[in-house]
Amino acid sequence: MAELSNCKTCGTVFVKVFQPICPQCAEKEEKWYKTAVDFLRKKENRMATKKDLLEATLIPSQTLNAFIRTGRLSLKNFPNMHHPCERCQEPTHERRFCISCADELRKNFSLPLEQSQSEPQTIRETTYSYSLKNTFRLDGK
Ligand SMILES: [Zn+2]
Ligand SMILES: [Zn+2]
């Protein structure tokens, strides 16, 4: 019952199990992830920018973005690291959307503001379900 699929990253045909990328790419991604975590763990890198990280680790920026967007890496403790908002492309410390876009999205979903401020989980769920709708459009090229 094996399902053959093209790797989303390198195009190799492989037997799809859980993820849209082949085992080689998954392994590579795991290595990148560890490299990024190692870099961010170092005290002297607290003030590093994303460019510093990319240059020091040679991680493809798409891969790094994916780590941030999926929540595997957080930029919150790194004041100089920014990530383009998925909606307006402004630099942000948030996972996917800058504060003002998150705010607007929240309004569209008419959630009480104080609740979403104190419960980040609420924001995450909201932005997540919003972006899910758009993911297909954005990635379906
Ligand atoms: Zn691959
Ligand atoms: Zn934004």
Side-chain angles (χ1 to χ4, degrees):
M1 299 302 124
E3 186 195 339
L4 287 179
S5 172
N6 280 88
C7 169
K8 220 174 104 192
T9 307
C10 70
T12 301
V13 177
F14 72 110
V15 180
K16 190 175 173 186
V17 187
F18 295 114
Q19 35 194 356
I21 57 176
C22 71
Q24 284 90 335
C25 286
E27 201 181 301
K28 230 187 275 171
E29 220 177 83
E30 248 354 81
K31 270 189 203 143
W32 287 133
Y33 179 65
K34 286 205 183 91
T35 311
V37 169
D38 280 347
F39 179 90
L40 294 171
R41 218 179 256 153
K42 287 188 190 134
K43 225 182 182 165
E44 66 264 30
N45 289 333
R46 280 283 139 145
M47 293 294 144
T49 62
K50 210 167 102 180
K51 195 164 161 264
D52 292 334
L53 190 157
L54 291 173
E55 277 172 10
T57 60
L58 302 175
I59 296 178
S61 76
Q62 260 192 329
T63 306
L64 183 69
N65 282 347
F67 289 153
I68 298 165
R69 296 223 152 106
T70 53
R72 291 187 80 187
L73 286 181
S74 168
L75 302 180
K76 299 233 167 179
N77 296 321
F78 301 91
N80 295 325
M81 291 239 184
H82 302 284
H83 184 68
C85 164
E86 262 184 48
R87 194 162 171 259
C88 68
Q89 302 301 314
E90 285 296 313
T92 175
H93 276 95
E94 304 303 312
R95 241 170 90 176
R96 309 186 70 141
F97 303 104
C98 68
I99 304 275
S100 61
C101 285
D103 221 48
E104 254 178 72
L105 294 172
R106 212 150 48 214
K107 270 183 218 141
N108 292 343
F109 282 84
S110 58
L111 287 169
L113 197 70
E114 67 276 16
Q115 187 196 348
S116 32
Q117 284 293 355
S118 56
E119 288 174 42
Q121 193 61 34
T122 314
I123 305 174
R124 213 171 295 144
E125 271 167 23
T126 310
T127 52
Y128 185 63
S129 56
Y130 169 83
S131 54
L132 254 190
K133 270 181 238 150
N134 290 285
T135 308
F136 297 106
R137 188 165 51 85
L138 290 171
D139 295 338
K141 39 181 155 122

